[in-house]
Amino acid sequence: MKLCRYGAPGEEKPGLIDADGNLRDLSPHVPDIAGNALSDEGLARLRGIDVNSLSIVQTKPRFGPCVGGTRKFMCIGLNYSDHAAETGADIPENPILFMKAISAIVGPNDDVVMPRGSTHTDWEVELGVVIGKPCKYVSEEDALDYVAGYCTINDVSERHFQAKISGQWTKGKSCDTFGPTGPWLVTRDEIEDVQNLDMWLDVNGKRMQTGNTNTMIFTVAQIISHLSQLFTLEPGDVISTGTPPGVGMGIKPEPVYLKEGDVMELEIAGLGKQRQTVKADA
């Protein structure tokens, strides 16, 4: 299934994308794409609905973030071998974890707003993993059983805030609008091999990033298992799993960063496309 949330910010309704690409209203059956709806039982109940009984949404509404109720937005840094190489970083021995504020989460086509003083705002197409049920001390072999589904994420980053203002990477990762998520949550049964998904990102129509999840240093299963040894993963929690090469900070001889009016477009195979216009905060 391709599940989504649509409508004005803070007023999103649950939806489903049918086989013909129509947006159908799920609100008579579930209050949100969140919580128990993400469990195996909740998803099975949604699969049992006759899709043709659902009303087609005739307008073209805004898509919101594809999952609600997120309490943790976790990100894995330097998780693609080719991206680590372009930044000159050593291959990490364990997954590098940093947190992104949940207030950064926006819809897949919402504007990305550079904060005041930003001069180094960068792009990062990433595979998002959404947890479907409580997850603690799980093995790699069982880890994917705890996934509700997958989505596209743009881990927008302000590199000066991230690296030059003393403190954690979170400073450059958590700015408002720096977490476009969606358009859809694609349930795990629809993804044959999560470690073989093509991805790309364009800026102003120019291809900047091209990659595949097969160059991840730590697989999705390894990441989930590792994090679950540290704390409980909960339904609706999101893990952004790292980015392939082609980010602005890695461009030679001089890095290239976003400016007002730039347009980012990005997609992961089977998970949907995003498009954001860059604005400067007033």
Side-chain angles (χ1 to χ4, degrees), residues 252-270:
K252 303 293 190 296
E254 293 292 334
V256 174
Y257 296 110
L258 295 166
K259 61 185 183 301
E260 187 170 20
D262 285 346
V263 174
M264 294 178 283
E265 295 180 284
L266 54 148
E267 185 174 13
I268 299 178

Side-chain angles (χ1 to χ4, degrees), residues 58-91:
Q58 299 293 343
T59 59
K60 292 189 177 296
R62 164 190 176 267
F63 280 107
C66 60
V67 62
T70 299
R71 291 177 39 146
K72 293 189 288 297
F73 191 173
M74 299 156 283
C75 301
I76 307 300
L78 298 174
N79 194 37
Y80 281 68
S81 55
D82 35 9
H83 172 55
E86 78 171 339
T87 63
D90 295 332
I91 300 297

Side-chain angles (χ1 to χ4, degrees), residues 32-70:
D32 200 357
I33 307 301
N36 290 335
L38 300 170
S39 68
D40 292 343
E41 297 77 13
L43 293 175
R45 190 169 65 83
L46 294 180
R47 286 190 193 93
I49 298 170
D50 178 6
V51 172
N52 293 321
S53 71
L54 301 173
S55 299
I56 294 177
V57 179
Q58 299 293 343
T59 59
K60 292 189 177 296
R62 164 190 176 267
F63 280 107
C66 60
V67 62
T70 299

Side-chain angles (χ1 to χ4, degrees), residues 207-220:
R207 185 59 45 91
M208 307 304 291
Q209 288 188 276
T210 304
N212 186 289
T213 55
N214 62 19
T215 67
M216 279 186 178
I217 298 167
F218 302 102
T219 66
V220 172

Side-chain angles (χ1 to χ4, degrees), residues 2-6 13-17 23-26 33:
K2 292 183 174 68
L3 303 174
C4 63
R5 301 167 72 245
Y6 66 96
K13 298 173 64 175
L16 178 149
I17 306 298
L23 169 60
R24 293 182 179 262
D25 181 17
L26 267 178
I33 307 301

Side-chain angles (χ1 to χ4, degrees), residues 74 82 116 141 175 188 190 232 250 268:
M74 299 156 283
D82 35 9
R116 292 179 183 177
E141 292 73 21
C175 305
R188 72 173 189 267
E190 296 214 359
T232 301
I268 299 178

Side-chain angles (χ1 to χ4, degrees), residues 39-258:
S39 68
D40 292 343
E41 297 77 13
L43 293 175
R45 190 169 65 83
L46 294 180
R47 286 190 193 93
I49 298 170
D50 178 6
V51 172
N52 293 321
S53 71
L54 301 173
S55 299
I56 294 177
V57 179
Q58 299 293 343
T59 59
K60 292 189 177 296
R62 164 190 176 267
F63 280 107
C66 60
V67 62
T70 299
R71 291 177 39 146
K72 293 189 288 297
F73 191 173
M74 299 156 283
C75 301
I76 307 300
L78 298 174
N79 194 37
Y80 281 68
S81 55
D82 35 9
H83 172 55
E86 78 171 339
T87 63
D90 295 332
I91 300 297
E93 294 183 9
N94 296 288
I96 295 173
L97 172 67
F98 62 91
M99 307 298 281
K100 208 172 178 87
I102 58 173
S103 55
I105 299 174
V106 291
N109 304 314
D110 291 344
D111 292 339
V112 164
V113 181
M114 297 186 301
R116 292 179 183 177
S118 171
T119 56
H120 294 71
T121 296
D122 205 347
W123 55 84
E124 294 189 14
V125 58
E126 304 203 1
L127 169 69
V129 179
V130 177
I131 298 298
K133 57 187 177 182
C135 177
K136 184 74 177 286
Y137 299 136
V138 303
S139 66
E140 290 181 25
E141 292 73 21
D142 295 335
L144 296 186
D145 293 341
Y146 291 81
V147 174
Y150 303 99
C151 61
T152 303
I153 290 176
N154 190 353
D155 175 22
V156 184
S157 309
E158 215 299 339
R159 303 301 188 187
H160 180 78
F161 293 6
Q162 177 183 349
K164 301 301 182 181
I165 300 177
S166 59
Q168 299 180 345
W169 286 4
T170 303
K171 290 182 178 180
K173 297 285 190 171
S174 291
C175 305
D176 297 345
T177 75
F178 273 25
T181 302
W184 313 306
L185 174 66
V186 180
T187 52
R188 72 173 189 267
D189 58 297
E190 296 214 359
I191 303 300
E192 182 177 350
D193 183 1
V194 73
Q195 298 304 151
N196 188 26
L197 298 177
D198 289 329
M199 56 177 66
W200 58 267
L201 183 145
D202 292 350
V203 178
N204 299 329
K206 180 179 180 181
R207 185 59 45 91
M208 307 304 291
Q209 288 188 276
T210 304
N212 186 289
T213 55
N214 62 19
T215 67
M216 279 186 178
I217 298 167
F218 302 102
T219 66
V220 172
Q222 288 172 325
I223 291 167
I224 293 171
S225 178
H226 176 76
L227 296 180
S228 79
Q229 311 307 312
L230 308 175
F231 45 78
T232 301
L233 304 176
E234 302 170 298
D237 283 352
V238 176
I239 306 171
S240 198
T241 56
T243 199
V247 298
M249 70 178 293
I251 294 175
K252 303 293 190 296
E254 293 292 334
V256 174
Y257 296 110
L258 295 166

